[in-house]
Amino acid sequence: MNKVTVLGSLNVDTSFRIKSFPQPGETVQVKEKSNAAGGKGANQAVAAAREGAQTAFIGQIGNDSAGKFMLDSLEADHIDGTYVSQNESVGTGTANIMLDEAGQNCILVYGGANQALTDRDVQKAEPIIKNSDFIVAQFETPQAAAITAFKIAKANGVTTVLNPAPAPAKAIDPALLQLTDIIVPNELESASITGIKITDEASMIQTAAQFQKMGVPNLIITVGDKGAFYSTEAGHDLIPAYKVKAVDTTAAGDTFIGAFVSQIAPDFSNIVSAIKFAEHASSLTVQRLGAQPSIPKLEEVLVAEKESAS
């Protein structure tokens, strides 16, 4: 069983089902409204936990009912929330999600307490980081917090996983990349970091070389319904996605990350099987509504793997 710590965001998601996204100045009717636990970090932690990893979380909430809701949601999935701190002056993060009939989404995020996470908060979590096999970070919390966490991890032989999402508005701190063992962007995030547009396998190989120059030795690029490309010292390949009818792509990428770290070996020797497992998990997520409510459990993924093999 992998021991995974996730440093990241905790958001209460409010989802609105609509026919199509509004144009500027247009008012559209909402067919359905729902609330659920979310945030990229929390989603990834839930995915890791549901796929069998021993999971802990580092993050921050406000002193409000939304924060209690998020803590309760972590506990429900047996995620250690010891190092989720409480901010007395800033509210818990929120996300408003518009979901159209084609299953695509548009998301407005209020960072709130997520963006107030400090180095000191992370330093307090050193015991749980040191006891992990993997630590995962994204960009819904400050890069400085991720650097602190990754420094602790590297000093203790813990594998660092960076999901550079959402795509950074400014350049990634080079120090963070140099502390990253494997980076997992989607094709748009990858292009925003390297300047290389993902169009074919050659551009993916070129991207891997660019990330290596930046200090990141291993790469996975998720390319939607095309699958996932990986590059390590042992080689590279594009692993095709499993074809399903998507009804809601919310949390698909987060499910992939969490499922992947629940299965991957620290030396990445089983990267192909771990990616295929993560793709199965994501294929189940997109067939359901919501963020965390859509993330499958281990038994469901194993059934999906068995069915695809038969």
Side-chain angles (χ1 to χ4, degrees):
M1 177 189 295
N2 281 349
K3 295 179 180 178
V4 175
T5 295
V6 178
L7 165 68
S9 55
L10 295 151
N11 292 333
V12 175
D13 291 348
T14 301
S15 297
F16 303 93
R17 287 178 57 79
I18 56 179
K19 182 176 181 180
S20 59
F21 297 131
Q23 299 299 312
E26 180 185 10
T27 299
V28 299
Q29 292 296 316
V30 174
K31 296 181 177 181
E32 184 180 337
K33 176 185 173 182
S34 60
N35 293 306
K40 295 195 70 63
N43 294 343
Q44 291 172 16
V46 167
R50 290 184 186 173
E51 310 318 328
Q54 181 178 325
T55 309
F57 199 86
I58 304 168
Q60 188 168 103
I61 55 173
N63 183 11
D64 48 32
S65 59
K68 184 179 185 307
F69 176 75
M70 292 307 303
L71 280 179
D72 289 345
S73 73
L74 293 179
E75 184 177 347
D77 276 293
H78 309 290
I79 296 168
D80 183 351
T82 301
Y83 296 102
V84 175
S85 55
Q86 182 173 283
N87 191 303
E88 297 298 326
S89 58
V90 183
T92 300
T94 59
N96 290 313
I97 303 165
M98 291 185 292
L99 175 66
D100 72 6
E101 290 183 341
Q104 296 302 308
N105 62 53
C106 184
I107 306 174
L108 298 173
V109 176
Y110 164 67
N114 296 312
Q115 289 297 318
L117 189 70
T118 67
D119 293 359
R120 183 174 297 180
D121 295 321
V122 175
Q123 288 165 357
K124 291 177 182 178
E126 181 174 355
I128 199 72
I129 298 173
K130 291 170 62 174
N131 192 44
S132 302
D133 299 310
F134 297 89
I135 183 163
V136 184
Q138 326 76 32
F139 286 157
E140 287 185 341
T141 49
Q143 287 189 35
I147 290 172
T148 298
F150 279 18
K151 283 180 178 178
I152 295 170
K154 296 294 284 183
N156 291 278
V158 178
T159 301
T160 55
V161 182
L162 179 63
N163 173 220
K170 58 182 180 179
I172 300 176
D173 191 320
L176 179 58
L177 292 174
Q178 290 161 13
L179 292 164
T180 299
D181 290 314
I182 186 166
I183 192 166
V184 191
N186 65 25
E187 54 195 311
L188 297 178
E189 293 154 359
S190 174
S192 75
I193 297 167
T194 65
I196 301 169
K197 186 177 180 180
I198 301 300
T199 56
D200 53 18
E201 188 169 353
S203 62
M204 296 177 190
I205 294 171
Q206 184 183 3
T207 296
Q210 182 62 29
F211 273 118
Q212 288 169 6
K213 289 180 182 178
M214 293 177 172
V216 187
N218 304 289
L219 166 71
I220 295 175
I221 306 173
T222 56
V223 284
D225 59 6
K226 298 181 183 68
F229 171 84
Y230 76 88
S231 175
T232 68
E233 291 182 356
H236 60 81
D237 200 3
L238 176 64
I239 309 299
Y242 299 98
K243 303 299 182 183
V244 297
K245 180 176 175 55
V247 298
D248 183 358
T249 57
T250 306
D254 296 334
T255 299
F256 181 95
I257 298 283
F260 174 77
V261 295
S262 77
Q263 304 297 311
I264 190 66
D267 63 358
F268 305 122
S269 58
N270 66 332
I271 193 166
V272 172
S273 63
I275 288 174
K276 289 181 177 179
F277 179 91
E279 288 183 339
H280 275 297
S282 292
S283 73
L284 293 171
T285 293
V286 300
Q287 295 178 72
R288 304 166 177 174
L289 295 175
Q292 290 182 22
S294 71
I295 298 172
K297 295 185 177 180
L298 177 60
E299 296 77 12
E300 297 174 279
V301 181
L302 295 176
V303 169
E305 282 193 313
K306 186 176 179 180
E307 288 178 347
S308 70
S310 61

